Amino acid sequence: MSRTALRICPLCEATCGLTLTIEGTRVTSARGDRDDVFSKGFICPKGASFGAVESDPDRLRTPLVRKDGDLREATWEEAFDAVAAGIRPVVERYGGDSVGVVLGNPNVHTMAGALYPPLLIGGLRTRSLFTASTVDQMPKHVSSGLLFGDANAIPVPDLDHTDHLLLIGANPLESNGSLCTAPDFPGRLKALKARGGTLTVIDPRRTRTAKLADRHIAVRPGTDALLLAAMAQVLFAEDLADLGDLAPHVQGVEELQAAVRDFTPEAVAAACDVEASVIRTLARELAAAPTAAVYGRIGSCTVPHGTLASWLVDVLNILTGNLDRPGGALFPQAATDKTPRPAGPGRGFALGRWHSRVSEHPEAKGELPLSALAEEIDTATDQGEPIRVVITVAANPVLSAPDGDRLDKALGSLDFMVCVDPYLNETSRHADVVLPPPPPSQSPHHDFAFNTLAVRNQVRYTRPAVPLEPGRMAETEILARLILAVTGMQGADPAAVDQMVIDGTLGKAVTEPHSPVHGRDPRELAAQLTGESGPERRLDMMLRLGPYGDGFGVRPDGLSLAKLLAHPHGIDLGPLRPRLPQPLKTRSGKVELLPQPIAGDLPRLREALRERSDGLVLVGRRHLRSNNSWMHNVPALTGGSNRCTLHIHPEDAERLGVRDGAAVRVKGAGGEVTAPAEVTDGVRPGVVSLPHGWGHDRPGTRLSHASTDPGVNVNQLLDGSLLDPLSGNAVLNGVPVDVAPAE
Ligand SMILES: Nc1nc2c(c(=O)[nH]1)N[C@H]1C(S)=C(S)[C@@H](COP(=O)(O)OP(=O)(O)OC[C@H]3O[C@@H](n4cnc5c(=O)[nH]c(N)nc54)[C@H](O)[C@@H]3O)O[C@H]1N2
Ligand SMILES: Nc1nc2c(c(=O)[nH]1)N[C@H]1C(S)=C(S)[C@@H](COP(=O)(O)OP(=O)(O)OC[C@H]3O[C@@H](n4cnc5c(=O)[nH]c(N)nc54)[C@H](O)[C@@H]3O)O[C@H]1N2
Ligand code: SF4
Ligand SMILES: [Mo]
């Protein structure tokens, strides 16, 4: 007997609603849910392989605990006892900072990852926090923090209504979008063109997205900040800057004008390898469009001037009056956002409140650069204790961060390591305890993070489609128990963790004048919460306190968990709407257009005008049927064009004597790898491309399919020293390399 159940897809940021077919406890197929209020039936090949992804026989079914050097299957009780015994003595002797917490990308794709890590970090009192953000979007957080006073206030292009989209360093036809949650991104781009809009793509590769564009500019990698600064300069010089309704909310326009004055198109053209006249045209088109949105992603973030480029993306939106207006770039309002407080000055955003021990990198958003994790473990200084224990949750930094070999060695030298991960992979092979979450069909799902980045306000929740198998533990419970184990409360009831959050949140809400529950009794409110589990009760609380919530009875038609459960395909909350000045939390209460740290970084950008090298630089790429490091073990998603090859332009190939299909050696500051060449004019001359997440040839892993075609780890070419200084983000694109035929 088969049945169907709904499940939001967790495999990328598009958050498509899926209809799963289930036989017994097995997901046998997945199709798009046509009634989903947001995705309306869209599905991609990864979503269609949902069943294959989760039934991978290499997925761990029980915890593993290291005994006499080997990882062996163990009970949950043994596993958490081992965690407490391994971590507590280290915390007591060396303090919380001696425990490094590493959070990987899939945390933003699970409810557990949204609800528990803050408590883990708070409970440990550790400042040794490293996440995938510093190999990804930290520059955007920093620029938003500085411009708007809130690192999480990220404007999203109004994809469905804009007349002109300028897309920089993003390839949504493969990635399905990022920091812009839009199921069927490809369809939405085609709709933009069908309604007469224009698409411009800036990318050193002629990607599938670039092929769709009206204009493709194959910029030299790493130079977008120069190009965007020149566009801003043109807007001022040609009197095209027009803030419109934004003007009263923005300060620093004149200072900005002065700051970009010398970044003329002529001055940047050679560095960017884009003609000055083309840069002028880009600026004019942006200003002339009835509405327009500038949007930058990986290729604009993971570069030496990532924060400046991210800042300039919003500067251009602001100067053309497109920030916070329909058709431009707007701030979404998610159902689980905090109760909106009245507009007015806030606390602002601070950078560098503390520094890493070894290289003294400033923290950003409470995090240290993932690039610095290895040295924080393997280097002694007189500035405090090194990291002796690492806890990873959904992270594979041995492949995703620079210099995996060094990190690999460092992880092997730890006193103790715990990984919450479904796989025994390049990172978790070093663990003393592995705690495997259940497959996604057995987990509830709500997108806490991606709804704050979605092109339409909407809310959806799916309960587990399949009941937890015997012997499994929900990831929410794993993390709650982990928190108890590392804070000296091993064995306590995990429900206490949720109750603590509920009591704390409601206790605070009743004291806030702007809260719908101001002045009420928190115990009375807590008693009203519904839900089958702690996480569900927390979701109910957040929905009810949130911007669309029922305010615990104040707005009876508002949102609650019960209401959401009554709408299994989700609830549409309408298009993105102007919200300024409410989201601003700067000290001035305005958009601060030229914040001091940005002004302080502009001289470095000016220097980049002079740095010219004629050597090859490396960029990455993504493949539709893959996802970072962890989907190469699923046969249905591998093979074909999804390969770890070096793309190289025919001119460069000829000059270097590289033949299509032949092995080439690629050398960077951090090491050397050998991969087959794929000669293609899909990359511009001077640029080569290797995808990331490969290199599955280390011993002690359980990745039987991935290890048959391991590929190479592109991040071994990096030594971890190249960072965007303001954000601590790793430079992963535009990295100098040498390429030669392999002997
Ligand atoms: N050169 C280069 N390097 C890059 C990038 C690049 O473009 N170029 N991209 C960077 C980016 S954007 C990112 S986000 C990072 C990603 O880097 P990471 O977050 O380190 O890597 P992932 O491969 O996404 O997966 C992390 C781990 O999550 C586990 N996992 C999967 N599902 C679950 C789950 O439900 N629960 C738990 N607990 N674990 C799960 C997987 O088994 C895997 O071990 O890589 C970065 N590295
Ligand atoms: N299929 C698939 N989907 C994914 C992922 C995946 O691994 N596979 N990963 C997910 C994650 S974690 C993320 S963060 C998102 C990322 O989403 P996207 O940012 O859309 O990802 P990419 O496909 O890496 O696109 C980055 C583009 O930037 C270009 N680029 C490189 N350097 C530069 C430069 O200096 N300037 C400019 N202008 N462009 C440059 C590259 O050629 C590439 O085409 O994708 C998510 N979705
Ligand atoms: S686009 Fe992303 S969310 Fe949608 S089905 Fe594919 S992997 Fe899943
Ligand atoms: Mo990412």
Side-chain angles (χ1 to χ4, degrees):
M1 260 291 285
S2 73
R3 63 184 177 93
T4 61
L6 299 173
R7 174 59 156 96
I8 301 162
C9 180
L11 303 181
C12 87
E13 299 185 30
T15 73
C16 302
L18 305 183
T19 305
L20 306 179
T21 302
I22 297 158
E23 313 219 3
T25 57
R26 248 181 93 85
V27 176
T28 52
S29 75
R31 57 193 154 81
D33 171 18
R34 243 175 273 145
D35 298 319
D36 184 283
V37 294
F38 194 24
S39 63
K40 305 206 159 91
F42 181 77
I43 190 168
C44 85
K46 267 191 303 203
S49 299
F50 184 100
V53 169
E54 74 157 30
S55 64
D56 181 348
D58 282 338
R59 270 185 186 252
L60 302 174
R61 303 181 156 270
T62 69
L64 303 178
V65 174
R66 197 171 292 279
K67 283 197 196 101
D68 309 324
D70 293 325
L71 279 171
R72 304 205 181 135
E73 294 194 353
T75 65
W76 289 101
E77 201 188 330
E78 287 165 341
F80 287 109
D81 282 343
V83 171
I87 295 186
R88 284 308 300 163
V90 178
V91 174
E92 276 156 25
R93 174 142 183 221
Y94 300 106
D97 290 346
S98 65
V99 182
V101 175
V102 184
L103 304 176
N105 170 275
N107 277 297
V108 272
H109 296 272
T110 65
M111 282 181 76
L115 295 176
Y116 298 89
L119 301 161
L120 178 66
I121 296 148
L124 282 166
R125 294 172 188 272
T126 179
R127 284 179 167 178
S128 303
L129 172 64
F130 305 82
T131 84
S133 294
T134 52
V135 283
D136 189 345
Q137 81 289 358
M138 190 57 91
K140 194 73 208 174
H141 288 305
V142 170
S143 81
S144 278
L146 295 170
L147 276 166
F148 311 125
D150 180 354
N152 288 318
I154 295 178
V156 169
D158 193 2
L159 218 49
D160 298 338
H161 306 107
T162 193
D163 298 293
H164 180 76
L165 181 64
L166 176 58
L167 219 146
I168 302 156
N171 186 12
L173 262 71
E174 305 283 355
S175 69
N176 276 309
S178 179
L179 300 188
C180 177
T181 285
D184 195 11
F185 209 125
R188 291 173 202 259
L189 290 181
K190 286 170 195 151
L192 159 72
K193 297 194 64 182
R195 66 176 176 265
T198 48
L199 172 66
T200 301
V201 171
I202 304 184
D203 196 310
R205 299 187 308 120
R206 197 174 67 256
T207 61
R208 282 172 62 218
T209 309
K211 285 180 190 156
L212 203 66
D214 300 281
R215 188 193 293 279
H216 170 216
I217 290 155
V219 70
R220 178 174 285 131
T223 64
D224 298 82
L226 289 170
L227 187 145
L228 298 176
M231 287 175 66
Q233 192 275 342
V234 173
L235 292 178
F236 283 120
E238 300 191 2
D239 212 11
L240 298 171
D242 178 5
L243 279 66
D245 295 345
L246 275 179
H249 305 305
V250 178
Q251 67 165 43
V253 179
E254 281 168 25
E255 291 84 346
L256 173 71
Q257 177 166 12
V260 298
R261 188 162 286 143
D262 48 342
F263 292 100
T264 60
E266 286 70 19
V268 307
C272 301
D273 198 16
V274 178
E275 280 176 34
S277 62
V278 172
I279 299 175
R280 284 217 154 71
T281 305
L282 288 176
R284 289 172 189 157
E285 283 178 352
L286 189 68
T291 64
V294 186
Y295 160 75
R297 214 36 292 276
I298 283 289
S300 69
C301 281
T302 54
V303 287
H305 304 282
T307 300
L308 290 183
S310 298
W311 164 72
L312 284 159
V313 163
D314 286 325
V315 161
L316 290 173
N317 283 324
I318 293 164
L319 293 180
T320 52
N322 280 303
L323 183 77
D324 200 46
R325 82 164 170 201
L330 299 100
F331 299 98
Q333 177 90 79
T336 49
D337 281 348
K338 289 203 178 109
T339 315
R341 61 172 193 103
R347 297 232 296 264
F349 174 76
L351 271 173
R353 294 164 296 173
W354 57 87
H355 291 76
S356 69
R357 204 173 42 87
V358 181
S359 293
E360 300 183 352
H361 296 301
E363 64 76 36
K365 210 172 164 262
E367 300 183 19
L368 298 174
L370 190 57
S371 298
L373 175 59
E375 68 180 25
E376 290 297 312
I377 298 171
D378 70 17
T379 310
T381 67
D382 50 16
Q383 294 298 304
E385 293 296 329
I387 291 174
R388 294 167 190 273
V389 167
V390 162
I391 301 173
T392 70
V393 185
N396 191 7
V398 169
L399 294 190
S400 49
D403 198 352
D405 287 348
R406 179 174 178 184
L407 184 56
D408 192 54
K409 244 191 237 127
L411 294 177
S413 75
L414 289 167
D415 291 4
F416 196 75
M417 180 169 169
V418 184
C419 296
V420 182
D421 204 286
Y423 283 105
L424 196 56
N425 63 17
E426 297 75 15
T427 296
S428 58
R429 73 192 185 105
H430 291 293
D432 294 285
V433 177
V434 186
L435 303 168
S441 68
Q442 295 175 32
S443 303
H445 195 80
H446 170 74
D447 283 296
F448 289 101
F450 298 124
N451 286 350
T452 70
L453 297 162
V455 298
R456 201 169 166 92
N457 294 319
Q458 40 70 44
V459 57
R460 293 163 296 154
Y461 171 64
T462 45
R463 280 189 160 157
V466 173
L468 268 185
E469 283 170 304
R472 288 285 192 186
M473 186 178 282
E475 187 161 8
T476 47
E477 185 177 336
I478 293 174
L479 293 190
R481 286 189 186 275
L482 180 62
I483 291 163
L484 295 171
V486 303
T487 53
M489 292 188 281
Q490 161 58 357
D493 181 359
V497 175
D498 298 308
Q499 199 53 48
M500 197 177 72
V501 176
I502 289 170
D503 292 344
T505 309
L506 292 175
K508 182 156 176 268
V510 296
T511 66
E512 291 172 333
H514 66 273
S515 170
V517 296
H518 181 211
R520 288 174 68 179
D521 174 5
R523 277 161 308 184
E524 172 251 328
L525 300 174
Q528 287 190 34
L529 292 175
T530 67
E532 289 175 347
S533 62
E536 277 200 352
R537 282 156 48 80
R538 288 174 64 184
L539 175 60
D540 190 33
M541 173 179 72
M542 292 167 80
L543 289 168
R544 297 174 82 167
L545 292 176
Y548 310 89
D550 77 352
F552 288 81
V554 175
R555 293 181 296 250
D557 58 346
L559 287 180
S560 63
L561 178 68
K563 180 154 180 183
L564 201 45
L565 287 169
H567 293 82
H569 305 283
I571 297 174
D572 182 48
L573 300 167
L576 304 186
R577 279 179 283 266
R579 289 183 54 205
L580 287 181
Q582 189 277 330
L584 301 177
K585 293 186 189 160
T586 49
R587 285 174 186 268
S588 61
K590 308 241 181 205
V591 176
E592 297 180 357
L593 211 45
L594 186 64
Q596 192 283 322
I598 295 281
D601 200 24
L602 283 172
R604 198 173 56 90
L605 187 61
R606 242 167 240 121
E607 273 162 39
L609 284 172
R610 281 183 295 276
E611 287 162 17
R612 288 282 308 287
S613 120
D614 295 324
L616 286 175
V617 293
L618 177 84
V619 301
R621 67 176 189 269
R622 283 173 160 76
H623 191 283
L624 180 61
R625 282 184 297 119
S626 192
N627 189 42
N628 298 331
S629 76
W630 70 276
M631 275 181 210
H632 298 135
N633 206 50
V634 181
L637 294 176
T638 50
S641 56
N642 185 9
R643 293 176 62 218
C644 185
T645 56
L646 185 85
H647 285 183
I648 182 166
H649 190 272
E651 285 170 19
D652 293 319
E654 197 186 319
R655 185 170 45 86
L656 297 166
V658 166
R659 277 179 305 110
D660 189 51
V664 280
R665 238 179 40 225
V666 190
K667 219 173 168 173
E672 190 177 307
V673 299
T674 301
E678 207 175 323
V679 178
T680 164
D681 65 0
V683 282
R684 52 161 281 162
V687 176
V688 291
S689 166
L690 259 182
H692 71 285
W694 295 84
H696 306 291
D697 51 1
R698 294 180 198 262
T701 64
R702 199 176 298 169
L703 298 166
S704 43
H705 180 68
S707 59
T708 61
D709 182 14
V712 294
N713 179 9
V714 63
N715 286 326
Q716 200 49 54
L717 300 171
L718 305 169
D719 64 6
S721 66
L722 275 180
L723 301 181
D724 168 43
L726 286 179
S727 64
N729 210 87
V731 174
L732 306 171
N733 280 291
V735 179
V737 287
D738 290 322
V739 171
E743 257 70 60

